[in-house]
Amino acid sequence: MWLTQSRDGIHDDTAAIQSAIDDGNRCNTLLCSSSSTTNAVVYFPAGTYKVSSSIILLYATNLIGDPLNPPTLQATAGLSGFGVIDGAQYQPGGILAYGATNIFWRQIRNFIIDMTAIPPETSATGIHWPTAQATSLENIVFLMDKHKGTQHQGLFIEQGSGGFMSNLQFYGGKYGAVFGNQQFTVRNLRFYDAVTAISQIWNWGWTYQEIYVQNCTVGLDMATRDEGQKEVVGSAVFFDSFFTDVQIAFNISKSSNSEPSTGGSLAIENVQLTDVDTAIQYGPTRRTLLAGATSKVIQSWVTGNVYRPHGPNKLATTQTPFSRPVELTLNNRFYSRAKPTYSVYRVSDIASVRAGGAKGDGKSDDTAVLQSVINAAAAANKVVFFDAGTYIVTSTLLIPKNSKIIGEAYPVIMSSGSYFNDVDSPKPVVQVGKPGDVGIVEWSDMIVSTHGAQVSPFQKNFSILLKVIRSHLLHFMVLALYRYIAGICHILISYRQ
């Protein structure tokens, strides 16, 4: 769906935006539960869209703005609802739509969320995002009120099992982001002029990489306990990050008597402090655990159970940092990069698999056509575009080095047939690279799945659907089911009976 409304910042675009999202008998919260046969991409051209009530995001929906000139969603002073974008609207009885741990296959990217017209004393949220795996937030700017007493928050997550987010910027607000979710991989978040940059209200385990906090009272606040004084934050890993002009970088509540014993664990590595009053504070008594400094690098500091190599040893102190393989580092930090958008590519540089002859109808054998399109695109330095659909393959699909592949609304590569049914010689659905290859592969926003009874993917030593040749194929690594690939790809590996 291509959104073409007034986008002049004067007329109210709320109804038109919602109509575009709802179009096509979509997975309405009252009609279905965490399933959809009508995935959607809603594209926002550049402009300013006035929003007077929450934009309700349906299941399996991608909101994508112009990457070269991100559109602005401008909240009115009287915005109604929970969030400029509500990713899971509360239903009667206080139940989240779909169930937060069952919300898959969606993303929001390339937007400016402007909440500055909302009075500072009014509670306001940019994006409400309870979500699960194969979801992402990318390249979003949150503009909030900066006055004393502001009640604005940019991003609010209270439930779910994510997920990935990167390249987010937060300006102002009481909270830049409030995070409560089982786990997330978070990279390149920047916070300016907030009271608290990140409020971690609960988790199982979060990973924070390249976080920038400037002119905030508190950086990461994870001093959170329940009514029984038990820790509700499981753990956080925080590395390759920067704090500037911050009163308290980390506020924690873990002690040697904490319950559960591993609750509230925090591991910090390679964190730069500039004009920080207190590096780490024990929140319940406001006791300083590690002093701040005008200029200082925390090489490694841990509170939790440490094994070197035996344990557990309950510690809250500096540690000798782990060595980092030089192949995985750049400028003394772990290598990372943003997910590619291919926004500067010309239309002629994009190779559609459907234009190349693939059916994507869930019935036709598309193996030969897909392989031909992928091979030709890699040789010509083009991007392979998988149009929305389900593509049946009856033998292993090989992705050669230097391939760039992106999907529309999470298309599916689905294995089918006897080729994949030999339990003594399991075959991958997709193979990335060949032995001896050196190069780069970019692959994002797709699903790899199976059709019917296929014995090899999950029998015989847990053979996997996706085979990666470990032959110096740089920048490409598999991080288990429902994880992201190299920080740039989101692939859901699933099994369908």
Side-chain angles (χ1 to χ4, degrees):
M1 173 65 69
W2 184 291
L3 187 63
T4 55
Q5 300 308 317
S6 63
R7 61 182 192 279
D8 57 8
I10 300 173
H11 299 89
D12 192 337
D13 291 311
T14 311
I17 294 172
Q18 196 62 59
S19 177
I21 293 172
D22 295 346
D23 184 63
N25 192 28
R26 303 292 317 293
C27 186
N28 187 284
T29 57
L30 300 178
L31 300 178
C32 66
S33 177
S34 64
S35 65
S36 178
T37 58
T38 52
N39 294 8
V41 173
V42 181
Y43 177 75
F44 289 68
T48 299
Y49 299 80
K50 181 169 284 189
V51 177
S52 59
S53 61
S54 294
I55 298 167
I56 308 302
L57 191 62
L58 300 188
Y59 196 82
T61 301
N62 302 320
L63 304 185
I64 301 177
D66 183 340
L68 298 179
N69 190 4
T72 298
L73 301 181
Q74 187 179 73
T76 62
L79 177 77
S80 62
F82 190 16
V84 179
I85 299 176
D86 191 345
Q89 188 179 39
Y90 275 96
Q91 304 300 301
I95 299 173
L96 283 171
Y98 310 118
T101 56
N102 294 324
I103 300 177
F104 309 111
W105 310 319
R106 65 179 186 172
Q107 57 185 277
I108 302 173
R109 69 175 189 255
N110 310 329
F111 286 95
I112 298 171
I113 310 293
D114 187 353
M115 304 157 58
T116 55
I118 301 175
E121 66 275 9
T122 300
S123 296
T125 301
I127 297 179
H128 176 217
W129 193 245
T131 195
Q133 297 93 7
T135 63
S136 63
L137 298 174
E138 297 174 272
N139 193 26
I140 304 172
V141 177
F142 298 83
L143 304 179
M144 295 165 278
D145 187 272
K146 298 181 181 180
H147 290 90
K148 184 178 181 179
T150 179
Q151 298 299 304
H152 293 186
Q153 57 188 10
L155 177 58
F156 183 79
I157 305 175
E158 75 278 37
Q159 291 185 35
S161 179
F164 180 70
M165 62 182 77
S166 70
N167 302 338
L168 309 181
Q169 298 182 48
F170 302 82
Y171 294 86
K174 181 178 181 179
Y175 302 107
V178 178
F179 291 147
N181 190 286
Q182 291 175 8
Q183 65 277 316
F184 252 91
T185 300
V186 178
R187 129 174 225 284
N188 193 22
L189 270 57
R190 297 171 183 256
F191 300 87
Y192 306 93
D193 307 317
V195 179
T196 298
I198 302 170
S199 174
Q200 188 83 66
I201 56 176
W202 75 274
N203 74 25
W204 290 357
W206 277 53
T207 301
Y208 292 95
Q209 178 183 13
E210 295 182 14
I211 308 300
Y212 299 78
V213 180
Q214 182 173 330
N215 197 31
C216 298
T217 303
V218 180
L220 172 64
D221 186 358
M222 50 182 284
T224 313
R225 292 176 174 173
D226 63 16
E227 295 178 354
Q229 292 302 299
K230 293 185 177 181
E231 305 288 346
V232 295
V233 173
S235 65
V237 176
F238 213 99
F239 61 98
D240 295 347
S241 297
F242 302 83
F243 293 81
T244 302
D245 296 322
V246 174
Q247 292 184 25
I248 303 167
F250 299 91
N251 189 40
I252 69 174
S253 55
K254 183 173 181 57
S255 71
S256 59
N257 298 318
S258 285
E259 294 184 7
S261 62
T262 57
S265 296
L266 172 66
I268 303 168
E269 187 173 288
N270 192 29
V271 172
Q272 172 73 53
L273 307 180
T274 303
D275 295 327
V276 172
D277 296 338
T278 302
I280 304 170
Q281 174 181 277
Y282 179 65
T285 63
R286 299 185 180 179
R287 176 168 57 92
T288 297
L289 299 177
L290 184 66
T294 302
S295 180
K296 176 180 182 179
V297 176
I298 304 176
Q299 298 292 350
S300 180
W301 190 94
V302 174
T303 178
N305 291 345
V306 176
Y307 300 78
R308 278 188 177 267
H310 305 294
N313 300 302
K314 293 184 178 181
L315 299 177
T317 186
T318 57
Q319 294 284 302
T320 301
F322 292 100
S323 61
R324 298 185 175 189
V326 65
E327 296 86 356
L328 298 179
T329 60
L330 180 67
N331 297 327
N332 198 38
R333 294 182 296 197
F334 281 116
Y335 175 83
S336 67
R337 57 173 291 191
K339 176 182 173 182
T341 63
Y342 309 113
S343 56
V344 298
Y345 279 66
R346 298 168 299 180
V347 173
S348 58
D349 294 326
I350 309 298
S352 159
V353 296
R354 189 158 289 171
K359 300 295 184 182
D361 57 9
K363 297 179 292 184
S364 303
D365 184 353
D366 287 321
T367 311
V369 172
L370 293 179
Q371 193 65 70
S372 176
V373 172
I374 291 171
N375 290 348
N381 194 30
K382 292 186 176 183
V383 177
V384 176
F385 180 76
F386 270 77
D387 311 77
T390 299
Y391 297 85
I392 297 295
V393 295
T394 54
S395 61
T396 297
L397 193 66
L398 173 66
I399 297 179
K401 65 180 182 179
N402 302 324
S403 292
K404 301 177 180 67
I405 302 173
I406 190 169
E408 177 191 30
Y410 295 102
V412 181
I413 296 175
M414 180 176 287
S415 68
S416 180
S418 59
Y419 176 82
F420 299 103
N421 281 342
D422 187 349
V423 70
D424 294 316
S425 181
K427 305 295 193 303
V429 179
V430 178
Q431 176 177 320
V432 180
K434 296 179 180 179
D437 280 350
V438 177
I440 296 173
V441 166
E442 298 174 355
W443 184 18
S444 57
D445 299 343
M446 291 191 64
I447 298 169
V448 179
S449 186
T450 66
H451 178 267
Q454 305 249 296
V455 298
S456 62
F458 296 107
Q459 296 184 26
K460 184 80 172 180
N461 301 322
F462 299 98
S463 300
I464 61 174
L465 294 172
L466 192 67
K467 179 180 180 182
V468 177
I469 299 298
R470 295 184 177 180
S471 57
H472 307 291
L473 190 62
L474 301 180
H475 311 156
F476 196 91
M477 47 198 280
V478 173
L479 300 183
L481 303 183
Y482 302 114
R483 285 296 189 181
Y484 71 103
I485 293 186
I488 62 171
C489 302
H490 298 79
I491 294 178
L492 177 66
I493 300 174
S494 66
Y495 176 74
R496 183 174 299 173
Q497 184 64 39

